Amino acid sequence: MQLTLWTYEGPPHVGAMRIVTAMRGMHYVLHAPQGDTYADLLFTMIERRSARPPVTYTTFQARDLGGDTAELFKDAARNAYETFAPQAMIVGASCTGELIQDDPAGLARALDLPIPVIPLELPSYQKKENWGAAETFYRIVRSLTKPVTDRQSSSTPSCNILGPCALGFRHRDDLYEIKALLAECGIAVNVVAPEGATPADITRLGDADFNIVLYPEIAQPAAEWLKKNCGQPFTTTIPIGVNATRAFIKEICALAGVTPPADDMNARLPWYSRSVDSTYLTGKRVFIFGDATHALALARVARDEIGYTVCGLGTYTREFAREVRAEASAHGIEALISDDYLAIEAAIAAAQPELVLGTQMERHIAKRLGIPCAVISAPVHVQDFPARRSPVMGFEGANVLFDTLVHPLMMGLEEHLLGLFRDDFEFHDEAAPSHLGAKKAAAPMAQPANEDWSPEAEKELKKIPFFVRGKARRNTESFARERGLFPISVETLYDAKAHFGR
Amino acid sequence: MNAHAPIPNPNCEKPVLRERGQHEVFCGLTGIVWLHRKIQDAFFLIVGSRTCAHLMQSAAGVMIFAEPRFATAIIEERDLAGMADMHDELDRVVTQLLARRPDIKMLFLVGSCPSEVIKLDLSRAAERLSQRTLPRTRVLAYSGSGIETTFTQGEDACLAALVPLMPADQDSSLLVVGTLADIIEDQFRSLFQAIGIDRVTFLPPRRAGELPGIGPKTQILLAQPFLGDTLKALEARGATRIDAPFPLGAEGSELWFRAAAKAFGIDHQKVTAAIAAPLERARLALSRHRERLTGKRIFFFPDSQLEIPLARFLSRELGMVPVEVGTPYLHRQVHAADLALLPDTQISEGQDVDRQLARCRAAKPDLTVCGLGLANPLEAEGLATKWSIELVFSPIHGFEQAGDLAELFARPLARAEKLRV
Ligand code: SF4
Ligand code: SF4
């Protein structure tokens, strides 16, 4: 048993839902109790999809147990076929369905429906959402795609884009960017899957020359199967950030046998980063946590393209722990591989970053600790499915990332200026920075034991930007403690600053 | 408006459409979202799966700001395979939890579908753990599983688990049962005082140590309709139920208070005087929404068991026309007074969501009350909706909230009128 407050990933059948919900003409019959229908709201409320997920739940009850839950499943599958007329169906069980061992695969086979029915085995007590999504996509591809033995080289090179699905972080907008990029390179798109694909589309995945794996968490197993059975190589570069996008273009052009375009198109990040007013970003300490794909990419972008120092890096995706560990050691830190919310909160508090890049969970942690934060990975909330286009991939994605990574610190700076002009008649202690709306920001940093600080030093401390103030306070106090310099004077404050100065 | 409590006709057999198909409703675990806010020193530990944890997170997403007073002990493969003894594991998790939260006075082990299916005996575990953790913390168990409970029935199971702990009380008192926002509780308490009922207690209490007393002279007034099992347990301890419609709207609240007063032998005029001002305020507040709502057709998907009292309120006090009133479970006795007042309409119990959606589309109601999974898809089809979950999460009971309750239904219509996109 594992004590869990908040989870980064749902159960594996929610991963399966992310695949079918993204597709068209596919239906999922899930052997599950009524409460599991909550998962619909993830798609209709958080992602604002305008249709119900194509999922039929059997919603068996206690009184059905030991009786006819198997019959219930068969009825549900038959009704789903008649009502929704899908081209193909997947069948499986949720955690409770798994325990009652009704064998959805066998029951569905017995129905002898005139469409492909793909059984799923998703071990709910071992695996999680992303694994479930990847496994489902792999099973669908493996069941429906026609293998290719003698690959002809086509006149126009083409590829499939694999990975975008429902509830993904900015998948919709990334896809738009990548399609534009491919058009620029003169590479045709054969099929995008799972997003928008029908079972019929899946059968012709083999027609493409190669595969683009946008999200390895979702598409890696399917891409490996396609490599083996259709002879299609797949990409390994994730085009997040300017450097990675350049490398990605090189990679796809080599796979397609075309000449890469000459320039960086609309990349503004390099100039924005080099322009003088970005100087203050240098060496800002950033803590990064998310799924492996986004955490890895953001660590590189933060260091190489913005000039930050990565002081923490972690992921909840255990499947890619090795890659994240390697990247962390390149930053001289140790990776945090965990999905324990409290452990991650403690790690962030200990690292004392000036900026947190994470999921909605880290956004809440950062808020509590009073540290600026941006969301860069699933799981996310409704506000992270913006109406406007807001990719993180490709050159426009890099532009978006520049804004995303810099904006929260600029807001911090605004607060700092407000502090400096504290005595100005238009500014006062109760005024909040405009980005926080009318309410004054909560001050979550520990309040001082007043005897430890002289009033002058206390006043001086307040001039330090809030997002480093806590650290300055702690450093100064430990400096003073070691030397017995209480109460802390302005002098001691600056001595400590010099002592700890980077 | 009729100032006398209606006489419910026990033979009133309104036709009910019973359906058994896919249900699109939360399970009883969801009740933890409001129960943990109400009982401020209680902790709810779900013994379940990752799905249960994920459900709680999705239903309570906005509360993530704090370290919540609920969590899930997620059953893992090794527990099922017998590699770890589940009771040992549970002991370990509870010890870990209580070490972190010494402020917790009452710990609920909440059963889920997986724990029920594998027959993990949580009541026994609770007794065993209590011996270790008392007097500081009492451990109790109830089930919020989706195979046994629908949404609000989780609260029923939780409160029923509290009944055996309620101290015996030989004196006459009024016990109001069902979670209410603190502010409403305070309003009710002072109104009862004005009416002349002095000994009023509430279940659940705000603190674990403040369980109300119970005995043969306790009279029960249900504040929520979904508490059938709790009611049974309370009656088994000698208490009697006062029959009344639920305190939703001006009329509903008036009849509710009057029923209580009558049971305590209090003079009609005294009640009239005590509730005159709030009743007048409620009527005034309702009148503001009547024009927008009157004649509008409303369709209820089953959700909280509040549907019948709500339909009664909306039709009688605001002139709305219920097309179908779906309820997950119809407790005839508890709903008798509301049913008697409800105009003729299609009542449905249970659910077959695809069929019900077809009926809803065919009926083209002006407003559809449904769960979060259905709301946006129906809006996309051009049907205005009201999320039923808001009716459980917001304070809607009593005179002072009558206007707010009406506003919850008026708002989606007002918005639809306003938007030009
Ligand atoms: S329906 Fe059962 S398995 Fe699903 S969340 Fe509720 S208790 Fe857990
Ligand atoms: S918690 Fe956020 S995303 Fe979830 S339902 Fe509420 S507002 Fe929507």
Side-chain angles (χ1 to χ4, degrees):
Chain A
M1 267 179 211
Q2 193 201 349
L3 182 61
T4 307
L5 293 184
W6 303 112
T7 65
Y8 286 85
E9 292 183 78
H13 72 261
V14 167
M17 285 183 70
R18 292 176 55 189
I19 304 297
V20 279
T21 303
M23 291 181 69
R24 291 176 297 139
M26 184 68 109
H27 201 84
Y28 186 11
V29 180
L30 183 64
H31 210 15
Q34 61 181 354
D36 291 6
T37 59
Y38 80 88
D40 284 359
L41 81 85
L42 303 171
F43 301 93
T44 64
M45 295 302 293
I46 296 182
E47 197 179 9
R48 285 186 228 250
R49 293 218 169 214
S50 58
R52 287 168 70 207
V55 181
T56 294
Y57 307 79
T58 58
T59 60
F60 55 83
Q61 299 180 340
R63 59 162 183 259
D64 304 319
L65 294 180
D68 45 9
T69 51
E71 204 50 46
L72 247 166
F73 181 87
K74 280 163 78 175
D75 287 348
R78 204 181 295 113
N79 284 340
Y81 171 70
E82 280 159 14
T83 312
F84 300 101
Q87 295 173 27
M89 221 152 82
I90 60 177
V91 297
S94 75
C95 52
T96 312
E98 185 182 334
L99 292 175
I100 60 176
Q101 299 185 325
D102 271 338
D103 182 24
L107 293 172
R109 215 177 307 117
L111 285 179
D112 204 17
L113 297 174
I115 49 164
V117 175
I118 304 161
L120 287 181
E121 296 247 357
L122 304 176
S124 310
Y125 299 90
Q126 285 173 29
K127 301 292 191 183
K128 297 176 204 159
E129 178 179 329
N130 281 339
W131 184 91
E135 171 71 9
T136 303
F137 187 46
Y138 161 74
R139 289 282 157 197
I140 291 171
V141 167
R142 200 189 132 122
S143 309
L144 300 179
T145 307
K146 293 195 201 75
V148 178
T149 40
D150 53 334
R151 170 157 295 287
Q152 317 285 333
S153 63
S154 43
S155 49
T156 6
S158 74
C159 67
N160 302 312
I161 303 177
L162 305 181
C165 68
L167 270 185
F169 180 67
R170 307 287 159 85
H171 286 194
R172 174 196 71 190
D173 304 340
D174 287 349
L175 185 56
Y176 183 95
E177 281 308 305
I178 297 304
K179 279 183 172 169
L181 224 152
L182 286 164
E184 193 83 16
C185 298
I187 303 169
V189 177
N190 178 49
V191 170
V192 177
E195 186 66 57
T198 62
D201 294 331
I202 303 289
T203 60
R204 48 185 197 82
L205 280 177
D207 294 351
D209 297 306
F210 66 97
N211 288 315
I212 290 176
V213 175
L214 278 194
Y215 309 100
E217 279 92 343
I218 311 288
Q220 182 97 8
E224 273 160 16
W225 186 89
L226 288 165
K227 183 176 181 185
K228 209 185 260 164
N229 295 279
C230 296
Q232 295 166 318
F234 61 86
T235 58
T236 55
T237 312
I238 307 298
I240 297 178
V242 169
N243 292 325
T245 300
R246 285 180 189 141
F248 176 79
I249 292 173
K250 223 181 265 171
E251 188 181 15
I252 55 171
C253 289
L255 286 170
V258 298
T259 325
D263 68 342
D264 282 354
M265 298 175 242
N266 56 348
R268 281 182 289 272
L269 180 144
W271 168 239
Y272 270 53
S273 251
R274 277 199 301 269
S275 72
V276 285
D277 76 13
S278 295
T279 311
Y280 80 96
L281 302 171
T282 316
K284 293 283 179 214
R285 295 158 52 78
V286 51
F287 192 107
I288 301 170
F289 193 88
D291 65 18
T293 297
H294 291 88
L296 285 169
L298 265 297
R300 292 169 199 149
V301 171
R303 182 188 60 191
D304 302 337
E305 302 184 16
I306 313 279
Y308 289 158
T309 297
V310 178
C311 68
L313 176 62
T315 184
Y316 57 84
T317 319
R318 286 181 196 277
E319 289 86 346
F320 292 88
R322 194 155 41 88
E323 288 83 346
V324 176
R325 285 211 177 88
E327 182 66 29
S329 70
H331 295 265
I333 51 178
E334 203 173 314
L336 173 66
I337 313 293
S338 172
D339 63 352
D340 180 349
Y341 174 79
L342 295 174
I344 292 148
E345 181 172 46
I348 292 175
Q352 302 184 354
E354 290 154 282
L355 175 67
V356 173
L357 303 177
T359 72
Q360 55 156 319
M361 250 73 84
E362 286 67 46
R363 189 161 57 80
H364 292 308
I365 293 171
K367 201 169 205 164
R368 260 156 47 122
L369 297 173
I371 305 169
C373 176
V375 171
I376 51 92
S377 163
V380 295
H381 238 211
V382 64
Q383 67 268 38
D384 291 303
F385 289 96
R388 66 173 187 278
R389 212 179 293 132
S390 188
V392 290
M393 289 188 173
F395 293 121
E396 185 60 20
N399 297 340
V400 168
L401 281 180
F402 181 87
D403 294 344
T404 308
L405 269 59
V406 170
H407 188 82
L409 282 181
M410 302 240 292
M411 293 297 101
L413 200 68
E414 186 195 340
E415 169 131 327
H416 173 50
L417 292 176
L418 212 122
L420 278 182
F421 294 112
R422 190 178 301 277
D423 299 326
D424 194 298
F425 75 100
E426 276 175 316
F427 298 90
H428 48 85
D429 224 8
E430 297 310 304
S434 55
H435 68 282
L436 293 174
K439 272 193 291 171
K440 179 151 166 56
M445 292 298 183
Q447 287 307 303
N450 264 339
E451 319 79 70
D452 287 352
W453 289 74
S454 72
E456 300 75 37
E458 187 68 48
K459 208 167 157 208
E460 197 69 15
L461 183 71
K462 285 211 178 112
K463 295 177 190 162
I464 296 172
F466 76 99
F467 47 89
V468 285
R469 200 182 299 148
K471 185 178 164 197
R473 178 189 298 285
R474 277 188 288 270
N475 282 350
T476 309
E477 283 172 359
S478 79
F479 181 83
R481 220 174 355 261
E482 275 167 27
R483 291 163 184 76
L485 299 172
F486 287 107
I488 293 162
S489 64
V490 176
E491 198 77 351
T492 311
L493 175 65
Y494 283 106
D495 284 346
K497 184 172 188 296
H499 178 79
F500 288 106
R502 44 167 118 87
Chain B
M1 226 170 276
N2 183 0
H4 297 275
I7 302 156
N9 172 6
N11 304 320
C12 149
E13 262 299 332
K14 299 214 180 191
V16 172
L17 172 66
R18 287 207 173 71
E19 286 197 298
R20 176 73 189 98
Q22 178 182 320
H23 289 200
E24 179 89 16
V25 205
F26 286 145
C27 60
L29 295 184
T30 331
I32 295 171
V33 175
W34 62 87
L35 284 167
H36 92 283
R37 302 309 308 160
K38 184 72 203 179
I39 315 175
Q40 293 157 20
D41 51 5
F43 195 104
F44 294 78
L45 179 66
I46 300 162
V47 182
S49 63
R50 179 165 298 281
T51 314
C52 309
H54 201 232
L55 158 94
M56 285 307 292
Q57 178 150 337
S58 309
V62 285
M63 293 185 189
I64 204 168
F65 290 103
E67 184 174 333
R69 274 181 292 104
F70 58 82
T72 309
I74 296 185
I75 299 170
E76 294 169 307
E77 189 66 25
R78 44 193 296 275
D79 303 307
L80 294 172
M83 278 149 70
D85 180 88
M86 288 231 224
H87 286 281
D88 291 349
E89 284 291 293
L90 196 55
D91 286 11
R92 179 180 60 76
V93 167
V94 167
T95 309
Q96 184 188 348
L97 184 76
L98 291 180
R100 197 182 162 83
R101 300 298 299 266
D103 50 324
I104 297 305
K105 297 286 185 301
M106 186 172 273
L107 172 67
F108 290 98
L109 303 178
V110 187
S112 66
C113 304
S115 77
E116 295 297 327
V117 170
I118 62 173
K119 302 202 159 51
L120 184 60
D121 189 344
L122 292 180
S123 312
R124 194 164 61 97
E127 272 172 36
R128 185 188 61 237
L129 283 161
S130 269
Q131 286 173 0
R132 266 189 19 215
T133 54
L134 278 172
R136 197 183 78 182
T137 310
R138 178 178 290 283
V139 186
L140 289 173
Y142 75 89
S143 173
S145 85
I147 55 177
E148 294 156 309
T149 60
T150 299
F151 193 30
T152 46
Q153 286 174 329
E155 172 170 342
D156 191 18
C158 174
L159 300 194
L162 290 174
V163 173
L165 297 180
M166 291 165 71
D169 179 2
Q170 299 310 319
D171 293 332
S172 155
S173 71
L174 175 67
L175 174 63
V176 179
V177 186
T179 300
L180 294 166
D182 288 355
I183 176 170
I184 296 184
E185 234 177 69
D186 296 341
Q187 290 168 9
F188 283 3
R189 200 188 300 275
S190 65
L191 266 181
F192 281 125
Q193 221 121 60
I195 287 169
I197 306 175
D198 293 326
R199 289 197 73 211
V200 183
T201 53
F202 292 84
L203 181 71
R206 297 181 197 187
R207 311 220 141 250
E210 295 165 6
L211 274 172
I214 185 155
K217 286 201 192 139
T218 308
Q219 304 207 60
I220 306 161
L221 194 54
L222 292 184
Q224 304 280 15
F226 41 75
L227 299 171
D229 287 350
T230 307
L231 176 65
K232 225 197 293 165
L234 291 167
E235 284 172 340
R237 294 201 53 184
T240 49
R241 182 177 80 97
I242 301 169
D243 191 35
F246 288 92
L248 301 174
E251 183 195 33
S253 303
E254 176 180 4
L255 295 176
W256 192 72
F257 278 105
R258 285 202 184 278
K262 191 160 170 242
F264 280 78
I266 291 164
D267 177 56
H268 193 80
Q269 293 310 318
K270 186 162 182 207
V271 183
T272 306
I275 63 173
L279 180 60
E280 203 38 49
R281 280 197 295 272
R283 285 183 181 152
L284 181 70
L286 288 175
S287 69
R288 285 194 210 107
H289 301 288
R290 192 166 297 120
E291 196 187 337
R292 171 156 281 132
L293 293 173
T294 198
K296 294 288 190 318
R297 297 163 68 250
I298 186 164
F299 192 109
F300 285 88
F301 278 78
D303 198 56
S304 60
Q305 297 187 42
L306 279 163
E307 294 81 7
I308 287 172
L310 284 170
R312 182 265 301 152
F313 157 67
L314 292 168
S315 60
R316 290 177 58 94
E317 300 190 49
L318 293 158
M320 291 190 88
V321 182
V323 186
E324 174 167 340
V325 184
T327 178
Y329 176 70
L330 180 61
H331 195 302
R332 284 198 172 266
Q333 186 201 359
V334 165
H335 276 112
D338 282 292
L339 278 172
L341 292 171
L342 185 68
D344 274 342
T345 180
Q346 173 71 69
I347 297 175
S348 61
E349 183 183 9
Q351 191 173 31
D352 181 326
V353 71
D354 290 317
R355 283 189 201 204
Q356 196 169 28
L357 279 166
R359 288 200 300 278
C360 180
R361 288 180 185 119
K364 290 204 186 60
D366 298 297
L367 188 62
T368 303
V369 184
C370 62
L372 293 173
L374 296 177
N376 266 335
L378 286 174
E379 291 278 353
E381 292 179 26
L383 292 170
T385 61
K386 166 82 234 114
W387 312 342
S388 45
I389 198 162
E390 219 176 332
L391 298 161
V392 178
F393 287 173
S394 358
I396 59 167
H397 293 70
F399 294 113
E400 312 300 349
Q401 281 64 236
D404 303 344
L405 179 56
E407 214 246 324
L408 287 178
F409 294 92
R411 201 185 302 146
L413 297 175
R415 182 164 178 79
E417 267 169 44
K418 186 165 189 212
L419 286 185
R420 292 281 176 273
V421 291

